[in-house]
Each structure stands twice: as structure tokens, then as C-alpha cells.
Amino acid sequence: MKEKCMEKVSVIIPVYNGEIYLRECMESVLRQSFGEFEVILVDDGSTDSSGRICDEYAGRNGKVKVIHKENEGLICARADGIRAAQGGLITFVDADDWVEADFLDVLVRSMAENQADIVMTGCIRESAHGSEILRNSIPDGVYERQRLSENIFPRMLHHEGFYRFGILPYLWNKIYRKEILQSCYTHIDTRIYDGEDVAVVFPYLLKAEKAVILSEAKYHYRIHDKAMTAGKKSDYYENCCHLYLYLAGEFNRSEYSGALMPQLDAYMRMMVWQKNQKSYIEAEKYVFPFGKVPPDSAVVLYGAGVVGQTYRHQIEKINYCNITAWVDKNYRQRELKRMGVRGMEALEDIEYQFIVIAIENRQTAEAVLADLTGRGIDREKIII
């Protein structure tokens, strides 16, 4: 299929104080192998040099347009970009991320070949621990309305465990039709600032007649220090209320509300957990280091005393990550053997991403750390 037969794409990039990564982001977008696209940079009241960088790119490349506006938040910035878009297809890139050269080509060709309303791909999460490919839990394929109702709607927002989605909730690893996307932004609650992607992606899917899921992952999602250390705002629970009420309204207007509302309830429990993990898991003293261990990680739990048993209980309660082994130097004790605790030799024949030391005494924990690193285990993989 020739490129000239395909629709033009508008790539919308909201920018707020993104000077550190904005150039890398823009260079990746402008290197696209697919040529029929425009870039709309929405400078959402940046106070750093982001606005100047936006103007710089617009001045030297005719594909780039800039909107400068007062800060109103991500939803409004994206909505402004959609209104200004000239393309019939729209995709998004965040200013601190980057995409591979065939990002648009993969999305647009699948959209055209299948006459779809949305194409959904995987993505690559980039962090200090390395790269990790994330994919949708629902299998690849073309889903017309009947298959959407049977295979996607019943598990798109919550699927088989803690913070696991059938469809990845991100706005930016997908491509959309402008007219449907605009309808999703018409009545959206602009007070939502956490969960705003969810407030668009899943209502959009309910409007789609045909969707495509691809395993390709061409979008690099950067987790950097600022994002990782940013705490929840004081009005976070108010945000959750706005998000819940908005999605409940969207879902209850759908004929699939019976399948959607339980998923929404599960999702909102996850949102509450993010704000106060300790209260969610009923912890009084010992709390598993959730902030240091990503969900679904393969984890070795070192220590089978009170702390280790508490951590294991907390992990199992919310199905947060996968314990590939539970080890302790006293593993030969009958009670520990009964619980499935193993010796250090277990580390030689299993795969894991992190070792979490679950020992209360700091001196003992430090001794375990020294022993593990002495065995050649990467310090970055050890959580203490």
C-alpha cells in the first residue's frame, strides 16, 4: 500500500518544563520513516526553556506547529492539540519519551490495512534498572465489535491480578481517529490529573467498531528520577473521586456496564493503594518496599522471620509481584521447610530481577548484603 493513500497523522506532544528531554523526543519523532505527519507541540505554560525549544523546531521544520498557552494541565493541553490537528489520525508522544523510526509506519499501516478505529501496541519502559517490554494482556489480533464485546470489554481495565490491565492504559502507544477522540474530550472532567489516560482510552474503546492489538513495541516510556520521586498531591483523593465519577458515568451509559463497573472498582482500589500503601495492606510496622520494586517483578525474598513473613503476606494479599524463591540461612528448620523456604543455592537455578532483604536488624541486613555482593550479585538488584 502506497504511503500517499494513507491518512495524515497529527502527533501531539504536550510540553511542561520538559527542556531536559525535549530535543531527544523531537529528533526521534522527526526521524519517522512515514512522511505524512505533522507535529503539534503544546507548551502548557512552561517556565523553563521548553517554549523556546518548541519555537526553534517550528522555525526550522515546516511539519512542526506550536501552541503556547497558560498552564491548565495535561487534559486541556491534549484537547487543544486535537482541536488544532489537521490529520484524520492522531497519536501522542510525551516530551520526556522517544519513539523508534518506524513508530508511525507500524501504527498507520495497521490502521489502514484493517480499516480500524484504534491500533494498540506495546511499549518499552526505560528506567535505571534497564529496559522492559510491556505488552497488552489480551492477545494480538483484529477485534470487530462482537469480539470487542466478548474478549476486550470484560477485562480491558482489570485483568487477573493487582494493577494488571487487559489493555495497557497509556494514551501514547496507540493511534486514534480524530472524530472519535474529539468526542471523548467533549465532556471530560478537566480536574482529573492522575489517571487522565484511563479517562480517555477506555471510553474511546467503547466507541470503536474495530480495534487492532499488535505486539510491536516502538514507544520508549522513560521513568526518570523526577517522575519516580514525585509524591501524590494533597488533593489526590479528590482527583480519584473525579476520575471515578467520570468513568462511572461513561460506563453506566454503556450496555456493558455490568462487566465494566467491577473492573472500575478494582482499578480505584489500586489508585487508593498508590496514595497509602500501608493502610491498604493493613500494615502496622513492616511494609514491603513497593516503591523500589515494580509490579510483576520476579523477586527473591531473603529472610523468613517476622519481617519476611509479613512481606510475603502483603505481596500475596494484592498479588503485587512474583516470589520466585524464599531463602533464609536457617532454611533447614522444620517450620521454614514447611513454608517452602530454601537455602542460598536456590539463587543459582532461578531467574529473578530483585532480591529483597527482609531482616529487621540493620547490622544483620548489611552482613547479608555484603555476602550477596561477595557472591557476584549486582548491588542494583538488592533491595535493603
Side-chain angles (χ1 to χ4, degrees):
M1 184 177 294
K2 294 182 179 180
E3 184 177 299
K4 67 180 181 180
C5 298
M6 298 187 188
E7 294 184 71
K8 184 176 182 178
V9 184
S10 296
V11 181
I12 298 173
I13 305 178
V15 182
Y16 178 72
N17 291 349
E19 63 182 4
I20 297 175
Y21 302 111
L22 182 54
R23 292 183 189 279
E24 181 182 357
C25 171
M26 284 298 297
E27 292 301 323
S28 74
V29 172
L30 294 175
R31 282 197 298 266
Q32 293 302 296
S33 56
F34 179 81
E36 287 300 308
F37 71 95
E38 65 174 356
V39 180
I40 301 176
L41 290 162
V42 185
D43 173 24
D44 190 31
S46 297
T47 58
D48 63 2
S49 63
S50 295
R52 179 178 57 79
I53 296 173
C54 290
D55 290 337
E56 174 189 320
Y57 275 95
R60 71 184 195 215
N61 193 308
K63 291 181 180 290
V64 182
K65 302 174 183 177
V66 181
I67 299 172
H68 295 288
K69 62 189 294 294
E70 294 183 1
N71 179 253
E72 293 182 286
L74 191 53
I75 287 179
C76 291
R78 285 171 170 165
D80 288 341
I82 294 167
R83 281 190 290 270
Q86 294 183 354
L89 303 178
I90 290 178
T91 191
F92 298 90
V93 178
D94 281 357
D96 49 0
D97 299 338
W98 76 95
V99 293
E100 296 182 15
D102 57 347
F103 171 68
L104 289 182
D105 189 69
V106 167
L107 290 173
V108 178
R109 288 185 184 278
S110 181
M111 198 79 152
E113 289 168 2
N114 295 289
Q115 290 300 292
D117 293 321
I118 181 172
V119 175
M120 303 172 282
T121 68
C123 62
I124 304 168
R125 181 164 56 193
E126 305 284 357
S127 71
H129 300 293
S131 301
E132 179 185 6
I133 298 177
L134 307 179
R135 293 191 172 94
N136 298 288
S137 298
I138 297 173
D140 289 9
V142 179
Y143 293 80
E144 297 185 351
R145 192 67 185 182
Q146 185 65 29
R147 291 192 71 201
L148 280 168
S149 64
E150 293 175 353
N151 302 111
I152 291 184
F153 296 161
R155 53 192 178 129
M156 62 184 181
L157 184 56
H158 182 73
H159 180 62
E160 295 182 351
F162 182 80
Y163 236 127
R164 292 176 185 164
F165 300 86
I167 298 297
L168 293 173
Y170 315 118
L171 197 65
W172 29 249
N173 60 330
K174 304 171 177 69
I175 192 166
Y176 312 84
R177 294 203 177 276
K178 180 180 177 179
E179 64 272 17
I180 302 176
L181 192 62
Q182 281 184 310
S183 70
C184 292
Y185 276 89
T186 301
H187 302 295
I188 194 169
D189 191 336
T190 58
R191 294 172 295 182
I192 299 169
Y193 63 83
D194 198 322
E196 65 276 3
D197 285 16
V198 170
V200 175
V201 169
F202 297 104
Y204 185 103
L205 276 167
L206 293 175
K207 299 173 185 288
E209 291 298 323
K210 185 187 288 188
V212 178
I213 298 177
L214 299 177
S215 60
E216 280 87 346
K218 304 294 183 178
Y219 189 103
H220 294 259
Y221 163 42
R222 189 196 309 268
I223 300 177
H224 49 84
D225 291 343
K226 182 177 180 181
M228 292 171 65
T229 58
K232 298 298 179 184
K233 298 179 181 179
S234 60
D235 63 346
Y236 177 74
Y237 287 137
E238 183 178 348
N239 166 83
C240 290
C241 288
H242 296 317
L243 177 61
Y244 178 82
L245 291 172
Y246 177 74
L247 284 173
E250 292 292 303
F251 291 171
N252 280 322
R253 282 191 289 272
S254 165
E255 62 182 298
Y256 308 104
S257 60
L260 295 169
M261 290 306 294
Q263 295 179 68
L264 178 58
D265 290 343
Y267 172 69
M268 295 312 301
R269 286 196 293 273
M270 301 172 198
M271 293 288 285
V272 171
W273 171 87
Q274 283 193 326
K275 173 67 173 177
N276 192 337
Q277 301 162 6
K278 185 174 181 178
S279 65
Y280 186 91
I281 57 177
E282 301 170 353
E284 295 181 356
K285 186 174 182 181
Y286 308 116
V287 181
F288 183 79
F290 294 105
K292 298 178 181 179
V293 179
D296 291 333
S297 298
V299 171
V300 171
L301 193 59
Y302 189 111
V306 174
V307 180
Q309 292 181 41
T310 301
Y311 282 6
R312 184 179 178 88
H313 170 72
Q314 292 170 357
I315 292 167
E316 291 180 340
K317 180 175 181 180
I318 59 177
N319 196 18
Y320 182 78
C321 59
N322 304 309
I323 300 178
T324 58
W326 193 6
V327 302
D328 192 289
K329 67 177 183 179
N330 297 317
Y331 72 98
R332 290 188 177 89
Q333 293 180 10
R334 181 180 300 176
E335 179 66 17
L336 297 189
K337 277 190 172 183
R338 187 181 65 80
M339 293 190 298
V341 179
R342 303 168 62 184
M344 287 292 291
E345 68 276 3
L347 299 178
E348 299 174 2
D349 57 9
I350 61 170
E351 294 184 0
Y352 60 88
Q353 294 168 278
F354 300 96
I355 298 176
V356 176
I357 299 176
I359 297 174
E360 180 177 23
N361 183 278
R362 186 70 184 183
Q363 186 174 356
T364 303
E366 292 286 354
V368 170
L369 173 64
D371 179 49
L372 292 172
T373 54
R375 294 170 182 262
I377 296 174
D378 185 354
R379 174 63 180 87
E380 293 296 318
K381 292 185 175 183
I382 304 172
I383 309 297
I384 187 171

